[in-house]
Structure formats: structure tokens, C-alpha cells
Amino acid sequence: MSLHELNEDECPLVKGSPELRLRYNKLVSDLKEIETKDPAFFASEDILKIRADLEEPRKKLVRLRYQVGFFGLFQNGKSSTLNRILRADEQSRPAFEGQTGGATTASVTRIFPRPSGSNHSLRLRYLTDQAYRDRRDKIVEQLAAKSRLKPGGTEAELLRQLPELIEDARRSLNTNLEDNLRYLQRLLQAYSNEAVRKQWVVAGKEGKQDDAQPYAQRKQFINHVEGQSDARVLLLQDVQIGYATDVIPRELELIDLPGRGAILNLDTLLGEQLLPDMDGAFIFFEASRGLSDGQLSDLILELREAFGETFRGRVWLLFAKCDSLTTAHLRDPDKNIFTGMEEFLRRNHLTVDQIGYVCNIWDGVDRETIEADLERKSGTRDLSAKFPQHAKLVEAFLRLRQNGGVDHVRHLVSQVIKQQVEHATRQDLNQKLNQLEQRLKTAQQFWAERNRFDSERLQGLHQVWMGILRVRNQVEQRQYHFDGDEPFQDFFADGAEATEKGLLQRLEAVFRSGPMLRSLTLTQVAHQFPNHAKFLEHELLQLLAAALPGVYDKIGGEFAQLPTTAQTDCPEGGRARWEEI
């Protein structure tokens, strides 16, 4: 990532907490100073990791809106509730209702507010080439575990396998596998369509955008449509809708995700991929379904891992389709829906203030009609008296009497969630900045201590090396011969070769940063050169230190082979004495 300090206008969501932006800028400033003064430290593993991890808080600081996801199993009322929160009429609603048996939402749909009275907008954003390959490989990996599909091939090789596998799944009545294989077949065919691929799928980090589609055509891009013929839909990353409304704050972006556990593997994969970027989440679950459903617990666990300590202020569980409840859920004072919910909350470490109830078909229905339906199913008009041990749950449940709980969910979205997600996000940012500041401080202390130790050690090694060079000079000047005319063996050759090779490797590492160096001005190059020279001098002394033991061993070995002689006062010295022998 590039090191860039942020100004106030670049961080609209944290204008009320400028200290977060200033702390981020201080980290950037410290890293830029390290880059200038100590390139070796800047290129160290610790600093590289800090620089990479700094990207997460930067992305959160510069976002225009908080992201709140609508998660849940398919056909659990997510899209329907979203339409009612927005008070969307049938002509303008961003999600479509009325389908049964399968998932409704096919694409990730991002909905953000536009000024009330303006036109709704539609933007299609396509996968990059790498994002497509990641999606394809993930789906192939999953299907290979369930069938005889062989992964790792090209589109053409994978497509050749599929007809037989699809027929096998059809004959064995494995509808789920058959539909997944058919989806993979359509995805591969869409990418293999050269005209479509060249127009919409691009390399790089950002996918291509299409703003030319009219809002009225949104259904074919958002929902599962039987016999979908437009290959582009399969290559979409998401659909972005600017919805003209004053119901939700301008700082919020609501993300309607495909239902988890739907027929298509993609529906579950998309939700998993987007989790790390979420600031808050609503989990939808049909009230009459058994709470032992493993997929629900898995989703809660994933969200808890994503949000950590701020989970409570960022996740709400909505029990939807409450009209599906029967007398079996509400008649028995000892064994009822509230008993199961209490156990579920305890097992998943949730609190009552994190749950709500909603029934979309009761939106707009008068209070008396709703109360009559609840009385018919529970056998009483006073649920609080019937279930005193579940007083808080009953209090939340009775909000259904006001427009089926839609008003309460709308209040959560328009008021509560903004405040709590804002607080939790800032708390999360503060925690991550604390960690990065401490890691940088620790890395600086470690590097300074290492440099102090290296400096002292290398000073000693430098003195030893200079002594060795003086010895070599004397040897060369006197041209000693130990055995006839054979010249004195160069004890330093191997060490010099190893040192030269090591230094070239260090130089290669330095020149890998060529693109960065080419982008510098002449002034910056002049400033950087001494730093690189200092770095290479440091490396040279390290290499020499590694070569010295071999030099000592060779010299010692040669001297060990010489005959021993008595000490002499021969004026010609030791050479004359050896010659006498």
C-alpha cells in the first residue's frame, strides 16, 4: 500500500472523532520517516507486516457509509423486510417477493439512500478476472468433494465433464447437486463467451461498471430468474441501488445478501466473502423453524469471530414470518417458543436486546386484528401473565402488534443501528490502531537493540579484518615459498568468492525495488543513495564475518603441515632455518 496521510474530507464517517484519523496519520508519518532514514528497517518483515495491516483501518476511515448486511437462510424474509423498511411500493421496491421453493436474491444488492424526490439509480459492477477465477475455483472445489468432478482444468476441460455428472445427479434424484452443477456449467459458459468476457471482465483490482441499465430492469440482475439467458448476470460482483428515501440515514448502506444454504453454492459463498467488510448485521430466521438449525449457529459464530468484542452492539437476530407460529408454539406455559429461545440465546451468548420479531404480512394491518390472531393461537390476551418467566422476550414479541414489528425494525435501522454501529466501529478502529502503534514501537526498539549489538560486533570484526589484510600484504610482499617453486597458496580465495556472491545477492534484493527507485526525483535519489550504501556496507561486514572462520581454518591447516623447528637466533629469521632443514 502507498503511504498517504488522510485529510478530514477523506474521512466523513469519523469527523466526530478526529483523533482516529490523526493517529493513523502519525503511523503513516513514522513509517515514511523510517523509509527515508533506514531503508533496511523499512524493508524488514516486521515493518512490511505493519504496512499491510494498516490497510484495514485506512479502508474503514475513508468509507462513505457504514455497511449493514441482511443475512439469513433463503426464503426467511430478508428482502421482504428490507422493502418494508424503505416503505417501497410494488413498482420501486429493490427486492422482489412472491417466489417460493428457492432463493429469491441472486446477486449481492447494495442499497444506499439518495435524496428524497430524486430518481432511483442502478449500477452493475462486474467481477475482475481474478475474482472470477477465485469464485470458479471455490465452487469447483466444493463440487469435487461431492461428485466425480476433477478440478484444476480449463473452462473447456471442466465443461466437458459436466453433462455426464449432471445426468448422474439427475438419475440419483440429487436435485441439490444437479442444480449446483448446472450453475457451474452456466458460469463457465458465460466466461467462455469471448464477446461478453472482453466487454465486462477486466484485469486489475477494480471491476468494470455499467450505469446504462434502467432501474426498471433491475429484476433480471438481482433475482433468480428461471431460464436466465443474459450471460452478464453470472459475472456480476454486485448490484448497487441508489434509492430515493429519507427513511435511512445517508451514512448507512444496506446489503441484501443471497440466502445461505440455498440451492446454489454461490449464495453461501458470497455471504462468507463479505463478512470481513461488514459493520453490522441483521440475521433473519423463520420463527417457526427449529432453533437447532446448525446453519444459524454457524452464521452467528462467524459474525462473532468477525466482530469480536463489539458483537453485541452490531448484530441483531430477527425472528421473521411470525404469522407461521401455531398453537403448538404459544399454548403450553412450560414448553413454548420462548422456552426454546431462552435456551438458544444462552447457548449462543446472545442477549434479549439483540433480538426482534417481524411479520411482513402484518405491515399495515390494524392492531386489533393482530391481537386477535395472537389470542387465537395462545389462548390468552395477556401473554405477559401467561409467560412471566420470559417477560423480556414477551415484551419484544408484543411489538408485533404495531404493524407486525416492521416499525420497530425500521427504528432499529434508521436510529439505533447507526448509533451503535458507529460506536462499535470507532471502538474497533481504536483497538486496531492501538495494536499497530504498539507493534511499531516494539519493532523500533528491537531494531535499535539489534543495530547496537551489530555495530559493536562489527566494529570488532572490522578491526580483525584490517589485521588480516595487513598480514596478507606482508605475505604478498615477501613472496614466501613453502615447497620449491610452488607459489604461496591464496588462503583468501574461497572466502573472497563467497563474500562476492553474497554481496551480489544483496544487491539483487536492493535492485528489485527498481520501479520504486525510478519513480523518485533526483533529489530523492541523492538522499536514498547514502542509505543504500550504508545498508550494503553493513551487509558486506556481515558477509566478511561469515567468511573469516574458513580463512582461519585454511591458514591453520597449512601451518599444521609444516615441520616443527627449534627456536633459532639465525639473523636471517625463520625462513633461513627452514631452508637449513
Side-chain angles (χ1 to χ4, degrees), residues 476-491:
E476 289 179 340
Q477 290 170 8
R478 299 189 182 187
Q479 290 292 300
Y480 280 142
H481 288 69
F482 292 149
D483 295 304
D485 295 328
E486 185 178 337
F488 171 73
Q489 183 173 348
D490 188 349
F491 298 115

Side-chain angles (χ1 to χ4, degrees), residues 88-185:
D89 58 37
E90 187 173 351
Q91 298 302 316
S92 70
R93 62 193 184 189
F96 293 85
E97 307 168 29
Q99 298 184 10
T100 58
T104 303
T105 305
S107 302
V108 173
T109 307
R110 298 176 178 271
I111 302 169
F112 56 90
R114 299 191 69 195
S116 183
S118 61
N119 294 326
H120 307 308
S121 65
L122 177 68
R123 167 177 288 175
L124 309 178
R125 190 166 59 157
Y126 289 87
L127 295 167
T128 64
D129 193 72
Q130 185 59 52
Y132 158 77
R133 295 179 186 281
D134 291 343
R135 179 176 294 184
R136 176 203 62 188
D137 293 346
K138 186 68 173 178
I139 294 172
V140 168
E141 179 187 349
Q142 289 192 354
L143 290 177
K146 302 176 183 177
S147 68
R148 293 181 290 106
L149 180 66
K150 297 177 182 178
T154 64
E155 274 70 22
E157 291 169 341
L158 289 168
L159 282 168
R160 281 195 291 270
Q161 299 181 59
L162 289 173
E164 182 180 349
L165 297 176
I166 291 171
E167 180 61 20
D168 289 346
R170 187 190 66 80
R171 288 177 177 173
S172 62
L173 303 180
N174 191 338
T175 305
N176 183 281
L177 178 58
E178 180 185 353
D179 287 337
N180 276 290
L181 291 168
R182 290 188 185 280
Y183 169 78
L184 175 60
Q185 186 180 50

Side-chain angles (χ1 to χ4, degrees), residues 26-41:
K26 178 63 166 58
L27 282 166
V28 170
S29 176
D30 289 346
L31 288 170
K32 290 167 74 173
E33 184 177 1
I34 291 170
E35 181 181 19
T36 299
K37 293 184 176 180
D38 196 342
F41 182 31

Side-chain angles (χ1 to χ4, degrees), residues 71-75 78 101-103 146 176 180 224 257-272 289 293 295-296 299:
F71 290 85
L73 308 187
F74 69 92
Q75 287 292 310
K78 297 184 287 84
K146 302 176 183 177
N176 183 281
N180 276 290
H224 286 297
L257 292 112
R260 294 169 67 90
I263 289 178
L264 303 180
N265 277 322
L266 173 66
D267 294 345
T268 301
L269 292 177
L270 290 176
E272 293 174 349
R289 290 187 61 166
D293 191 301
Q295 292 187 81
L296 177 60
L299 177 55

